[in-house]
Amino acid sequence: MLAFDGISPFHLSVPSVVFGDVHQTPSPFDLHFCAIDGPVIRSTVGFTIQTSDDWQALEQADVIIIPSWPDHLPPAPTRLIQALQTAHLRKVTLMGLCLGAFVLAQAKLLDGREATTHWTAAQELSAQYPQVRVNASALYVDEGNIITSAGTAAAIDCCLHFVRKTLGAELTNLISRRLVMAPHRQGGQAQFIEAPIAARPRDQAFANLLDDMRKTLDHKHTVLTMAQRMNTTERSVSRLFSKQTGTSPAQWLLNERLNHAQRLLETTSCSMENIALAAGFASASAMRPHFRTRFGLSPTEWRKNFTY
């Protein structure tokens, strides 16, 4: 992992906590730090950080992470650009988290590829590097051995994705539980720009309704049954969903069913038909188009890619 003078402690700690500290479990990753500006660097909040590796670490790495880049987007040193280009030739995985995507773009490693960065800098990335297909809504973009992520917490999503991609769902789930976060968040960063994820509803009866439906996704749920459960009208239920979840009852239920199916695909060997029924779909064929629309893969492809 690269570090530089003026780095945010958070940006440096995200890959560290995922790859270097798996809590109570020996990490399968061997994490090293290479400081661009010398062995001792200053963080954005004032304290200094001592690194133990030099530029030779880049020549031996299987994965190189650029965890961020300064907000004023200075050009990367020529030596770093050359090191990244050389690493790319020997099939090293390169990860540009948040503004780190700008360094990969400067090295021309994103030309003709899809990439993302923090939503506040997406337009600038497009302007500076028109050869890059910028996806401003994605939490992260995996282009094989080049991966980019959006800002801040999306870097955690990206790092967890890499763990799942290389070592499977079991370790990913262990790490995410220790971090007290979902092992795989759906959607894109646009949802954080316009409509942040809602906290648990303050209306206790509505919160209980959602919890109960999550436990009984294989049952038939309609707006009418929801209204009967809450002893209110269907119109009131629809308003509650819109106000407190930002979506309709039908869409919320579909999202929950797809999330449940996703988890079952990753963690069980159940048949596709049984998974579909357990998640509340009429059949595997009924689930398949919704799954592909949501995740960009069929259920079979998801299981193949994200189980260990």
Side-chain angles (χ1 to χ4, degrees), residues 53-231:
D53 292 283
D54 56 24
W55 286 81
Q56 287 186 339
L58 298 183
E59 300 172 2
Q60 302 168 1
D62 299 304
V63 181
I64 296 176
I65 303 172
I66 310 167
S68 65
W69 200 243
D71 290 345
H72 61 289
L73 301 174
T78 301
R79 184 180 184 184
L80 174 57
I81 295 300
Q82 293 173 342
L84 294 174
Q85 292 171 336
T86 300
H88 178 62
L89 290 176
R90 60 184 183 89
K91 309 300 183 182
V92 169
T93 295
L94 304 175
M95 298 176 66
L97 308 180
C98 194
L99 299 183
F102 280 80
V103 180
L104 296 179
Q106 183 186 335
K108 300 187 180 302
L109 299 177
L110 297 181
D111 286 5
R113 297 176 183 265
E114 184 175 314
T116 192
T117 188
H118 195 288
W119 63 270
T120 59
Q123 187 173 353
E124 181 65 23
L125 183 61
S126 291
Q128 285 194 31
Y129 304 101
Q131 304 91 338
V132 181
R133 293 183 284 113
V134 178
N135 184 343
S137 66
L139 292 177
Y140 55 84
V141 173
D142 186 338
E143 284 272 8
N145 63 337
I146 296 184
I147 307 173
T148 53
S149 86
T152 320
I156 304 178
D157 295 297
C158 183
C159 291
L160 288 174
H161 163 76
F162 182 76
V163 175
R164 175 163 35 197
K165 175 182 176 180
T166 55
L167 294 177
E170 185 175 352
L171 179 61
T172 308
N173 292 341
L174 171 64
I175 297 172
S176 63
R177 283 196 298 270
R178 298 293 184 183
L179 297 178
V180 196
M181 67 173 291
H184 185 71
R185 290 191 300 162
Q186 301 307 327
Q189 58 177 322
Q191 65 183 298
F192 302 104
I193 300 168
E194 299 169 2
I197 294 175
R200 178 179 170 84
R202 286 177 289 180
D203 185 305
Q204 189 60 46
F206 183 60
N208 291 340
L209 172 69
L210 300 189
D211 289 342
D212 288 344
M213 286 197 295
R214 288 189 181 102
K215 296 174 183 177
T216 57
L217 291 171
D218 56 332
H219 294 185
K220 183 177 181 180
H221 297 289
T222 66
V223 178
L224 176 59
T225 61
M226 297 176 199
Q228 291 172 339
R229 167 67 193 273
M230 292 190 65
N231 194 27

